[in-house]
Amino acid sequence: MMRYIKLVNFEINRFSKIYLSLLLITLVSQFAGVIIVTKSLLNDARDIMKEERLSEAAYIANYGGIDFNHIANSLLFVGPIALSAVALIFYIFLIWYRDWFGKNTFIYRLLMLPTSRLSIYLSKATSIFLMVLGLIAFQIIILPMENALFNSNVPQVLLSEMSISTITIANPILSLIIPSTFTQFLISYGTGLMIMSILFTAIMFERSFRIKGIIMGLLYCGIAAVLFLAPVLMEIGNFYFYPNELFGLMLAIGIILTGLSVWLGAWLLKNRVTV
């Protein structure tokens, strides 16, 4: 267990500089977005009131108030979230391939450690998952601050205040990364874990069989996708499931695919990947 924890800590430290950069970009970009977009919205509102000779009350009646949704849908707000997601998806591949293609081919030293290769596999998966949760926690922490800054910059008469829960529910991206219910949490992050384990297994196929492994990995990803989406595809074909049945089926298939992918990936790393 201690070796596993040390490996997780090691993997996180290797990505720490990029990770901290993502946090800093998110902080600066989103707060800048609050200030810039709010100023733009207020200028637009004043221009409309001047051109149409509207009072503030008439403007509210015709156009509605200014709410945080304008900020949450802006590029400065969602851009860092998308960048972080792309960076972590890219890191799913980098976390393995840099060990093979780095200057010192570190994978040889890593695979010769006196520990189970399953621990190496799980430590890489755990480090990525913890970094995902860290980014989400950071977003949850700064979102109320951004909302408070927005509310303080908009005149009360033009402001349509929104609670944090309303903001997350109203914005598709925020509702995906900050689930409002445990069921949504299982769907969002359970699916993410499943996809990561499938990609890890595809990488192990490639590392085990090289060119043939690329084809095997792509086939494995395709078969896994079809199996996971099978209940949805059956519904499209007029085979009806109740919502709870559909969720239960997809949850069960997701658990099976995740377990199978972890077992198969770990088996390939142990028996087919050599130093």
Side-chain angles (χ1 to χ4, degrees):
M1 179 59 72
M2 287 303 299
R3 288 175 179 171
Y4 163 73
I5 294 174
K6 288 180 179 179
L7 284 170
V8 172
N9 182 64
F10 173 73
E11 292 293 349
I12 291 175
N13 286 337
R14 295 175 81 188
F15 192 64
S16 60
K17 291 181 180 178
I18 298 176
Y19 188 67
L20 291 174
S21 298
L22 291 174
L23 294 178
L24 183 60
I25 290 171
T26 301
L27 180 69
V28 173
S29 179
Q30 290 190 354
F31 272 94
V34 172
I35 296 170
I36 294 170
V37 176
T38 301
K39 185 177 180 180
S40 176
L41 290 170
L42 291 175
N43 288 337
D44 290 344
R46 292 189 186 102
D47 289 342
I48 291 173
M49 285 187 282
K50 183 177 179 181
E51 290 174 5
E52 300 184 13
R53 297 181 180 179
L54 299 175
S55 65
E56 291 176 335
Y59 175 85
I60 293 294
N62 290 342
Y63 296 97
I66 299 174
D67 58 48
F68 195 83
N69 265 337
H70 295 90
I71 307 296
N73 291 322
S74 67
L75 181 60
L76 285 170
F77 190 92
V78 300
I81 298 175
L83 176 64
S84 299
V86 170
L88 288 174
I89 292 171
F90 177 72
Y91 193 61
I92 290 175
F93 297 91
L94 182 64
I95 200 171
W96 287 105
Y97 284 112
R98 69 176 174 187
D99 290 339
W100 264 282
F101 300 114
K103 292 182 180 180
N104 300 315
T105 52
F106 184 76
I107 192 65
Y108 297 140
R109 295 161 58 191
L110 193 61
L111 294 180
M112 293 179 68
L113 289 174
T115 187
S116 169
R117 291 191 179 183
L118 178 61
S119 296
I120 297 172
Y121 182 98
L122 293 178
S123 67
K124 292 181 181 292
T126 303
S127 64
I128 292 175
F129 189 64
L130 288 177
M131 285 186 281
V132 170
L133 293 181
L135 285 168
I136 302 310
F138 185 70
Q139 184 65 74
I140 293 173
I141 291 170
I142 65 174
L143 186 57
M145 302 178 191
E146 294 163 349
N147 192 35
L149 177 62
F150 171 78
N151 291 341
S152 66
N153 285 340
V154 178
Q156 194 66 34
V157 68
L158 296 176
L159 176 64
S160 293
E161 288 195 50
M162 299 177 69
S163 66
I164 298 302
S165 60
T166 304
I167 292 170
T168 56
I169 292 171
N171 184 273
I173 295 178
L174 289 178
S175 64
L176 178 65
I177 66 173
I178 308 177
S180 57
T181 66
F182 182 67
T183 300
Q184 290 177 334
F185 176 84
L186 287 178
I187 293 172
S188 295
Y189 294 97
T191 303
L193 276 174
M194 179 191 69
I195 292 172
M196 180 176 64
S197 65
I198 290 171
L199 290 177
F200 269 23
T201 302
I203 292 169
M204 290 301 101
F205 272 121
E206 188 278 327
R207 288 289 85 196
S208 299
F209 304 102
R210 299 303 191 267
I211 300 298
K212 292 181 181 179
I214 295 175
I215 299 172
M216 295 169 69
L218 290 174
L219 284 174
Y220 183 78
C221 290
I223 293 170
V226 170
L227 288 175
F228 182 66
L229 296 175
V232 177
L233 298 175
M234 291 172 68
E235 279 212 324
I236 295 174
N238 297 322
F239 192 96
Y240 181 75
F241 291 106
Y242 289 106
N244 288 339
E245 292 175 336
L246 182 63
F247 171 74
L249 277 172
M250 296 189 74
L251 179 62
I253 294 171
I255 292 172
I256 293 171
L257 284 175
T258 303
L260 175 64
S261 297
V262 171
W263 174 81
L264 182 56
W267 184 87
L268 288 169
L269 182 62
K270 179 181 178 181
N271 296 287
R272 301 295 305 185
V273 178
T274 61
V275 296

